[in-house]
Amino acid sequence: MNAGIFISYRRDDTRQAAGRLADDLSDQLGAERIFRDIEKIELGVDFEQALNQALENCEVMLVLIGRQWLTVADAQGQRRLDHPNDWIRIEIVTALKRGIRVVPVLIDGAQLPSDAELPEDLRPLVRRQALAVEDARWKSDVARLAESLARLNGMQAQGRATATAPQPVASVPLPAAASGSMRKGILIGAGAVVAVVAALVIWAQDSIVGTWQTTDEQADYVISKAGEQLQVVFDATDEKRIQTSATFEESKFTFSYAVDAADGESVTWTCILTLATDKLDGACGPQDEPGKQSLALKRKAS
């Protein structure tokens, strides 16, 4: 067993998402690098021994967190996470103690738990940079995750793309804000295209980092960057403070979060805002009504 990526999930919470994610990552990174218990443990093999071996071989653990991850209970009504012998808890705690890179993956609007909601040995999970994966943008979210995993040491992608003859030269357009000398265009070898594109993505992300506020100046939206991941923090209308991951591609700033509906269920809202100079303008809403509520932000003066 030589899996570099361990997918930790609770079957009562994210079984389908775990299977879908494992399939997509297998296509992009190689099936031999993905460990998911239901597929990798052979008949008759000791479950505990197999999991320990997989943890010894993994470099990254993806902890899939759905809306029920925190509250799934046993037959007696006790939260499973509160059991010291709960396998999900054991997997994560073991990875944290061994210094394995642990990435919380927030599925369909789930929120990262707070310290107070977790057993003490699981609390370091809250300080790990999380990634949101939404059904509405599954393909792009998983592609971004796969690219990040492929950049880690020893986790290079195995060339799943269709083989084509390399182009000797490529021209990469630079953003309008680039200097005049840069805007003349740069001819570079095909092998360097990825590096230049990555640099432009970083440049674009940096341009949006900062504090923004609604046009009526009643609420702040703080956009920050941790590693290569953007985050936005703001106060929702129910006075609940929201922190969630975000993306910024082709002048579109996108983020999703959970909204409590009248029937007590949570509904995922997605906001898509377009950057124009120092303004972000767009709308938020659920999947069936994406433009339900307009949202306009301006960069807050320092």
Side-chain angles (χ1 to χ4, degrees):
M1 189 179 300
N2 188 25
I5 303 170
F6 188 112
I7 299 179
S8 171
Y9 69 101
R10 195 173 289 284
R11 296 184 185 184
D12 293 341
D13 180 46
T14 52
R15 180 199 297 262
Q16 292 183 343
R20 187 179 178 188
L21 182 62
D23 289 343
D24 289 348
L25 291 180
S26 294
D27 288 342
Q28 299 185 53
L29 301 173
E32 71 280 2
R33 295 185 176 179
I34 311 299
F35 179 87
R36 177 169 162 257
D37 60 352
I38 196 171
E39 295 176 342
K40 292 290 185 176
I41 298 180
E42 299 176 359
L43 292 175
V45 173
D46 183 276
F47 189 76
E48 180 177 358
Q49 183 179 358
L51 286 178
N52 284 332
Q53 183 179 350
L55 286 170
E56 289 177 1
N57 293 327
C58 86
E59 298 179 44
V60 181
M61 174 180 282
L62 304 179
V63 179
L64 272 56
I65 298 177
R67 296 178 185 175
Q68 308 301 320
W69 182 85
L70 191 65
T71 58
V72 171
D74 60 19
Q76 288 72 43
Q78 183 178 2
R79 272 197 335 172
R80 291 186 183 174
L81 275 180
D82 292 328
H83 287 279
N85 60 349
D86 175 58
W87 272 112
I88 302 303
R89 177 174 172 179
I90 291 172
E91 290 172 358
I92 300 169
V93 170
T94 301
L96 291 169
K97 289 181 177 178
R98 293 182 181 179
I100 294 170
R101 187 185 296 246
V102 177
V103 181
V105 180
L106 309 177
I107 303 296
D108 286 338
Q111 300 293 315
L112 197 62
S114 66
D115 275 2
E117 293 175 305
L118 293 175
E120 187 174 355
D121 54 2
L122 273 178
R123 290 176 184 173
L125 179 67
V126 177
R127 299 192 293 272
R128 302 301 176 104
Q129 179 66 34
L131 174 73
V133 175
E134 301 287 342
D135 183 69
R137 57 171 198 263
W138 181 275
K139 186 175 180 180
S140 61
D141 285 347
V142 173
R144 183 156 49 93
L145 174 60
E147 289 170 4
S148 297
L149 293 172
R151 284 194 293 268
L152 298 178
N153 291 335
M155 299 286 291
Q156 297 304 313
Q158 292 189 338
R160 289 298 189 268
T162 302
T164 57
Q167 300 299 313
V169 179
S171 176
V172 179
L174 294 177
S179 65
S181 61
M182 294 176 68
R183 283 176 54 76
K184 293 178 181 177
I186 301 175
L187 294 180
I188 58 176
V193 171
V194 173
V196 172
V197 172
L200 294 180
V201 171
I202 293 172
W203 176 89
Q205 288 181 341
D206 289 344
S207 70
I208 202 171
V209 168
T211 301
W212 299 72
Q213 61 182 180
T214 52
T215 52
D216 60 6
E217 301 184 357
Q218 296 300 306
D220 287 349
Y221 286 68
V222 180
I223 302 173
S224 61
K225 185 179 176 184
E228 298 177 0
Q229 177 67 57
L230 288 173
Q231 284 192 333
V232 58
V233 178
F234 60 98
D235 290 324
T237 53
D238 57 0
E239 298 184 354
K240 179 181 179 181
R241 194 151 184 82
I242 300 293
Q243 176 177 335
T244 186
S245 59
T247 61
F248 183 55
E249 299 174 356
E250 299 180 355
S251 299
K252 299 288 186 183
F253 182 65
T254 305
F255 60 94
S256 298
Y257 62 99
V259 175
D260 293 332
D263 59 3
E265 296 292 329
S266 292
V267 177
T268 299
W269 276 43
T270 298
C271 298
I272 302 177
L273 309 178
T274 301
L275 176 65
T277 313
D278 279 341
K279 293 183 179 180
L280 284 167
D281 192 27
C284 305
Q287 187 174 0
D288 58 351
E289 196 176 355
K292 184 172 185 177
Q293 180 176 309
S294 61
L295 178 63
L297 306 176
K298 62 181 181 179
R299 195 179 291 274
K300 188 173 183 178
S302 55

